[in-house]
């Protein structure tokens, strides 16, 4: 049996020791610190390449889904995903090397076996990326699909080369030669390629830098209107539930079922109703996002299986999880459009709306209302209704709206027994009736829109105290209808159609929403109440 020195001499004659690749294979792993040092060095070299190429598909996909992002945010994401890939690659290589070392019967004796192990290990590393991608709420766009697939395949091939190169000690000992795939060093060219591709990721970040100065609201031609209009938005209210309450339905001239907006988060769906435009334009995609320290944006489009950003980045203090601040929304709610052009307006408890009392607009955001509820959904509704009543009696706005989420929370988010759920639901419906009666008693024409919550069956509903021009409707019709009632033109960005006739032509767009700051930190108590109400898990 040759000694360790003899084996090393043979390797030195073949030129392997001079490259620092294969010195540890003949050492006893339980007695030699050199073995562990060499194993760590070899594994770390391969893991660096694995991490460098693992960040490419992940960061690219995140840039597609969260455009625009700043350079610092892109760098922080690259650090998180690359670091996670490095740790996963390092752990896998060490485990594989120890298994092959401690089980001589598993020694690699053919290039095909070495390549097979490389493929298997690369598949183990690639599968989590594919699963991470699958766990997004929305399906990928075609450009994202093409780029993601190409980069995942490239990562798989690079991981195969890096892993098999790190395990060469075993094949060299058995075969007395280097397999053809590794006869030339690929570490340097692969490192250069990873650096170039990573640098290319930052081009979208710098191309998307916003340098526009705030602009005055776009001036439009309006029709003078004396109507007073109230919009009551009820999450969790379906056509079937409303139809069962005759004491509420008798207040309306028309009640129609609608197909609700499916998919996405609660905040996304209701932002689409209030703005009248799809999520791609208004930019609201989730209830909770990740905000990098010193970053300018909240990252909303996250995979449900994303430990890199949801856990690791938060644990090391690089980022924090928080509910969406008002500044993430890129389009105005229609009542903000009205108020910017002189129509007295009131809005209470809407997602991504802040507390504002300026000019013709009085807006009460969710933070204060949810915080005051102390985790009681009925208190959310009653607090929002009371704020609407107090403000409306004081200011007499021409347009008023309130968002009432208690029914959705009771039916879909809290774990309640059936009797408690029924009793709480009845109380929530009573509160909705109170809001409707208040609005009608103050001379408002009332529109109620309800949509089923997450995992809730049933159809959405639109009810109004006026007769619509047609019997079919969608949630996207609400914003154009409100514009017609107040005498404003709808924009071509709104896919819906007004439920009442209007002679005003559409305009192309009301423009991007101007916000005072890029990011507002949401207080911790509001965050805790969102968790207690079941919005954040």
């Amino acid at each position: 049996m040759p000694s360790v020195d003899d084996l090393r001499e043979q390797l030195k004659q073949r030129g392997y020791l001079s490259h620092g690749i294969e010195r540890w294979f003949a050492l006893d792993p339980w007695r030699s610190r050199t073995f562990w040092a060499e194993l760590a060095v070899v594994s770390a070299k391969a893991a660096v390449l694995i991490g460098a190429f693992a960040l490419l598909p992940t960061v690219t996909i995140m840039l597609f889904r969260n455009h625009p992002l700043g350079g610092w945010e892109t760098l922080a994401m690259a650090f998180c995903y690359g670091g996670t890939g490095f740790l996963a690659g390092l752990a896998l290589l060490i485990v594989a090397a120890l298994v092959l070392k401690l089980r001589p019967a598993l020694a690699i004796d053919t290039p095909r076996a070495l390549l097979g192990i490389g493929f298997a290990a690369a598949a183990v590393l690639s599968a989590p990326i594919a699963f991470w991608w699958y766990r997004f709420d929305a399906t990928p766009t075609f450009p994202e699909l093409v780029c993601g697939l190409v980069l995942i395949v490239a990562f798989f091939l690079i991981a195969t080369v890096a892993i098999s190169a790190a395990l060469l000690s075993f094949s060299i000992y058995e075969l007395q030669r280097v397999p053809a795939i590794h006869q030339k060093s690929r570490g340097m060219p692969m490192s250069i390629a990873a650096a170039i591709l990573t640098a290319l990721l930052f081009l979208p970040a710098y191309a998307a830098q916003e340098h526009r100065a705030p602009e005055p609201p776009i001036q439009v031609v309006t029709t003078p209107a004396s109507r007073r209009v109230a919009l009551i938005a009820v999450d969790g209210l379906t056509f079937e539930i409303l139809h069962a309450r005759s004491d509420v339905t008798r207040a309306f001239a028309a009640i129609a079922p609608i197909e609700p907006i499916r998919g996405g988060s609660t905040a996304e769906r209701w932002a689409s109703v209030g703005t009248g435009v799809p999520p791609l334009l208004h930019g609201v995609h989730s209830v909770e996002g990740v905000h990098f320290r010193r970053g300018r944006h909240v990252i909303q489009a996250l995979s449900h299986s994303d430990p890199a950003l949801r856990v690791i980045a938060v644990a090391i203090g690089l980022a924090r999880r928080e509910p969406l601040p008002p500044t993430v929304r890129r389009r105005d709610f229609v009542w903000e459009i009205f108020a910017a052009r002189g129509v007295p307006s009131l809005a209470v408890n809407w997602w991504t709306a802040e507390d504002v009392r300026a000019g013709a607009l009085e807006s009460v955001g969710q933070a204060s209302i949810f915080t005051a509820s102390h985790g009681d959904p009925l208190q959310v509704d009653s607090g929002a209704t009371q704020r609407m009543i107090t403000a409306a009696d004081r200011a007499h706005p021409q347009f008023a709206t309130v968002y009432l989420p208690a029914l959705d929370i009771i039916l879909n988010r809290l774990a309640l027994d059936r009797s408690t759920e029924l009793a709480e639901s009845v109380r929530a419906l009573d509160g909705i009736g109170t809001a409707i009666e208040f609005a009608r008693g103050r001379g408002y024409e009332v529109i109620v829109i309800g949509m089923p919550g997450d995992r809730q069956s049933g159809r959405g509903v639109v009810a109004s105290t006026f007769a619509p021009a047609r019997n079919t409707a969608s949630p996207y019709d609400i914003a154009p209808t409100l514009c017609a009632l107040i005498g404003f033109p709808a924009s071509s960005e709104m896919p819906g159609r007004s439920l009442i006739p209007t002679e005003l032509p559409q305009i192309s767009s009301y423009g991007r929403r101007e916000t005072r700051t890029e990011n507002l930190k949401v207080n911790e108590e509001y965050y805790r109440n969102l968790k207690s109400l079941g919005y954040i898990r």
Side-chain angles (χ1 to χ4, degrees):
M1 189 73 179
S3 66
V4 171
D5 291 336
D6 292 336
L7 292 172
R8 284 187 170 182
E9 185 60 33
Q10 293 176 30
L11 288 175
K12 185 178 292 185
Q13 291 173 2
R14 291 173 173 82
Y16 299 125
L17 285 182
S18 61
H19 293 86
I21 298 175
E22 312 301 338
R23 285 176 289 180
W24 49 272
F25 87 95
L27 299 173
D28 184 348
W30 310 121
R31 298 181 181 179
S32 172
R33 284 180 294 181
T34 304
F35 171 86
W36 290 103
E38 294 298 334
L39 175 59
V41 169
V42 172
S43 299
K45 287 180 179 178
V48 166
L49 277 177
I50 290 171
F53 280 91
L55 69 86
L56 293 174
T58 50
V59 175
T60 299
I61 291 167
M62 289 295 287
L63 289 176
F64 270 108
R65 292 177 177 263
N66 293 278
H67 184 77
L69 288 178
W72 160 247
E73 291 155 334
T74 304
L75 179 63
M77 277 201 306
F79 174 79
C80 292
Y81 289 125
T84 303
F86 170 81
L87 293 176
L90 183 67
L92 181 65
L93 284 165
I94 290 176
V95 169
L98 287 176
V99 169
L100 294 172
K101 169 65 183 174
L102 300 177
R103 294 294 184 93
L106 299 177
I108 307 169
D109 56 3
T110 65
R112 183 177 300 175
L114 177 65
L115 196 59
I117 291 177
F119 278 158
V124 169
L125 292 173
S126 301
I129 298 179
F131 182 71
W132 165 86
W133 196 9
Y134 170 76
R135 292 279 288 161
F136 279 93
D137 285 323
T139 56
T141 61
F142 182 74
E144 177 193 334
L145 183 65
V146 172
C147 291
L149 289 175
V150 168
L151 290 174
I152 288 176
V153 170
F155 168 72
F156 176 85
L157 297 175
I158 294 299
T160 300
V161 174
I163 291 167
S164 57
L167 300 177
L168 269 176
S169 59
F170 305 99
S171 62
I172 289 172
Y173 177 58
E174 296 294 335
L175 300 174
Q176 304 291 303
R177 65 182 177 82
V178 180
I181 192 174
H182 296 297
Q183 286 182 356
K184 292 184 179 180
S185 173
R186 287 168 172 80
M188 184 59 68
M190 287 194 298
S191 299
I192 294 173
I196 293 173
L197 291 173
T198 302
L200 292 176
L201 291 176
F202 291 86
L203 290 180
Y206 288 106
Q209 295 292 331
E210 299 175 10
H211 302 290
R212 300 178 306 158
E215 300 175 358
I218 296 171
Q219 298 303 306
V220 297
V221 176
T222 63
T223 300
S226 58
R227 280 172 159 167
R228 304 181 72 202
V229 181
L231 171 66
I232 299 174
V234 185
D235 206 355
L237 180 66
T238 64
F239 177 78
E240 292 77 11
I241 292 175
L242 182 60
H243 214 59
R245 288 291 299 256
S246 58
D247 57 324
V248 177
T249 56
R250 63 169 175 259
F252 299 105
I255 301 174
I258 60 172
E259 284 302 316
I261 300 171
R262 296 292 184 182
S265 68
T266 297
E268 177 181 300
R269 295 192 296 268
W270 288 103
S272 294
V273 171
T275 62
V277 303
L280 184 64
L281 293 178
H282 65 62
V284 178
H285 299 290
S286 66
V287 172
E288 180 194 41
V290 171
H291 177 227
F292 284 111
R293 296 192 180 279
R294 296 190 290 118
R296 299 174 58 235
H297 305 86
V298 175
I299 299 173
Q300 300 178 57
L302 289 168
S303 170
H304 291 289
S305 300
D306 194 337
L309 296 190
R310 293 181 184 272
V311 179
I312 297 175
V314 174
I316 64 177
L318 185 61
R320 63 175 182 267
R321 295 170 63 177
E322 64 176 36
L324 296 192
T327 50
V328 301
R329 185 163 40 86
R330 298 196 297 264
R331 290 295 186 272
D332 284 319
F333 288 129
V334 288
W335 47 89
E336 293 171 335
I337 292 172
F338 303 156
R341 292 156 184 86
V343 177
S345 302
L346 167 67
V348 179
N349 203 41
W350 277 79
W351 292 97
T352 65
E354 57 189 319
D355 291 344
V356 172
R357 185 180 293 177
L361 175 65
E362 182 171 354
S363 174
V364 181
Q366 286 186 326
S368 58
I369 293 173
F370 275 52
T371 299
S373 72
H374 303 294
D376 183 350
L378 294 174
Q379 286 296 320
V380 175
D381 274 17
S382 62
T385 302
Q386 188 57 50
R387 294 287 291 270
M388 180 183 71
I389 292 172
T390 302
D393 284 343
R394 181 186 67 252
H396 307 290
Q398 185 177 348
F399 178 86
T401 182
V402 64
Y403 169 75
L404 304 176
L407 195 60
D408 168 55
I409 297 170
I410 293 166
L411 295 177
N412 304 301
R413 301 186 183 279
L414 299 182
L416 304 174
D417 60 78
R418 292 297 297 172
S419 60
T420 303
E421 182 181 282
L422 179 60
E424 296 286 278
S425 299
V426 170
R427 292 177 62 192
L429 288 167
D430 290 340
I432 295 166
T434 299
I436 294 170
E437 286 305 312
F438 157 77
R440 292 182 67 237
R442 293 336 188 255
Y444 287 97
E445 296 191 55
V446 180
I447 300 177
V448 171
I449 176 171
M451 290 195 292
D454 298 336
R455 301 176 301 278
Q456 183 181 355
S457 60
R459 296 169 291 177
V461 63
V462 170
S464 60
T465 55
F466 57 87
R470 63 181 193 277
N471 295 326
T472 58
S474 83
Y476 283 108
D477 294 335
I478 298 301
T481 302
L482 295 176
C483 288
L485 289 169
I486 301 298
F488 278 67
S491 78
S492 58
E493 292 180 335
M494 299 177 180
R497 296 182 300 138
S498 172
L499 296 176
I500 65 168
T502 178
E503 297 180 358
L504 286 170
Q506 285 187 335
I507 65 171
S508 60
S509 172
Y510 278 98
R512 186 184 176 93
R513 179 177 181 240
E514 296 293 345
T515 56
R516 294 177 299 169
T517 57
E518 275 296 326
N519 185 41
L520 297 176
K521 188 174 186 311
V522 182
N523 68 69
E524 194 64 28
E525 191 173 357
Y526 173 44
Y527 184 81
R528 288 197 299 270
N529 275 280
L530 283 179
K531 294 184 72 172
S532 67
L533 293 169
Y535 284 107
I536 297 174
R537 301 186 187 279

